[in-house]
Amino acid sequence: EPGLWRLFARPSGDGPFPGVVAFGGSSGGLGPAAQWAPLLASHGFATLAVGYFGAAALPRSLVRIEVEAAERAVAWLARRSDIAPHAVAAMGMSRGSELALLASALTEHIGAVVAFAPSGVSWSGLDTDGPVDAPAWTFRGDAVPYARIGDAARAKGTGSAGPVALRAAFEPALENRAEIRAAEIPVERTRGPILMVSGDADAMWPSTPMGEIVERRAAEHG
């Protein structure tokens, strides 16, 4: 469809099936969600993998991406007769975990969230050279508050073919308590359970401490 970059995989049979929307990370395009969709379909979940930047007809950079991209994906699933009439789950990896958590908190009709290498913080945008001092996300036309990653990460760049170890750039940013607090994702507004998977030795970014932000905020709000 014009302006969209998606892959849909469904189980065999008539359904109705539980629905999932899936988002990759800062590599752009469909990323790992292209592999998740058929795998989840083989386990009974109709899954729509969604590209939100870095592919044909999409923004080139992870800057000012509409959270409504997830909302529109959920609506697309909901219009199908083979999708069960209850909340759709969202799953995302790395920067895609931000989108999954934000969409669950800010929009309706998303229930459970699965976040791999998660962040409970909305970070600044990314272009082909690295972080930029601009919001990665917008909602209803307004910038989502963000924490700045800083020039140290930009100097390392993100345009290489392989992974770039950026943890050392994020850890000092996490020490800016006021900015982090302002950029925390309001996970207390989510409507379902949250499953997070992270590695203590994650070199890309400190996903375990950032997942603990989600846990702490959820506990603070009961």
Side-chain angles (χ1 to χ4, degrees):
E1 298 178 44
L4 303 177
W5 192 257
R6 299 175 180 171
L7 172 70
F8 180 58
R10 64 186 294 281
S12 60
D14 297 328
F17 308 106
V20 179
V21 291
F23 313 102
S26 59
S27 59
L30 297 178
Q35 283 73 52
W36 298 342
L39 178 62
L40 286 168
S42 75
H43 288 278
F45 297 90
T47 304
L48 184 63
V50 180
Y52 50 95
F53 86 102
L58 296 178
R60 286 189 60 193
S61 302
L62 178 53
V63 176
R64 300 186 184 277
I65 302 299
E66 295 179 338
V67 175
E68 290 89 338
E71 188 176 42
R72 291 189 289 269
V74 170
W76 186 92
L77 281 177
R79 290 193 295 269
R80 295 182 59 90
S81 61
D82 55 356
I83 301 298
H86 52 67
V88 169
M91 67 189 285
M93 180 177 182
S94 190
R95 297 305 299 262
S97 76
E98 292 176 37
L99 179 54
L101 288 166
L102 282 167
S104 180
L106 299 178
T107 71
E108 297 180 0
H109 310 304
I110 292 179
V113 178
V114 178
F116 296 105
S119 173
V121 175
S122 178
W123 292 98
S124 58
L126 292 171
D127 63 17
T128 54
D129 294 321
V132 295
D133 189 3
W137 315 104
T138 66
F139 183 65
R140 305 291 189 252
D142 295 326
V144 173
Y146 64 94
R148 292 167 294 178
I149 303 169
D151 291 337
R154 188 172 183 85
K156 295 177 183 293
T158 60
S160 67
V164 180
L166 295 176
R167 183 176 184 130
F170 281 92
E171 286 177 326
L174 287 173
E175 297 302 315
N176 187 337
R177 303 298 185 187
E179 189 166 281
I180 293 297
R181 273 284 186 174
E184 287 179 4
I185 297 171
V187 295
E188 67 276 7
R189 301 184 196 172
T190 58
R191 296 168 176 80
I194 300 170
L195 170 66
M196 297 183 291
V197 182
S198 66
D200 290 338
D202 188 338
M204 277 291 293
W205 67 353
S207 56
T208 295
M210 294 194 300
E212 289 168 350
I213 290 172
V214 175
E215 292 183 285
R216 187 257 302 154
R217 186 168 180 121
E220 287 177 352
H221 290 83

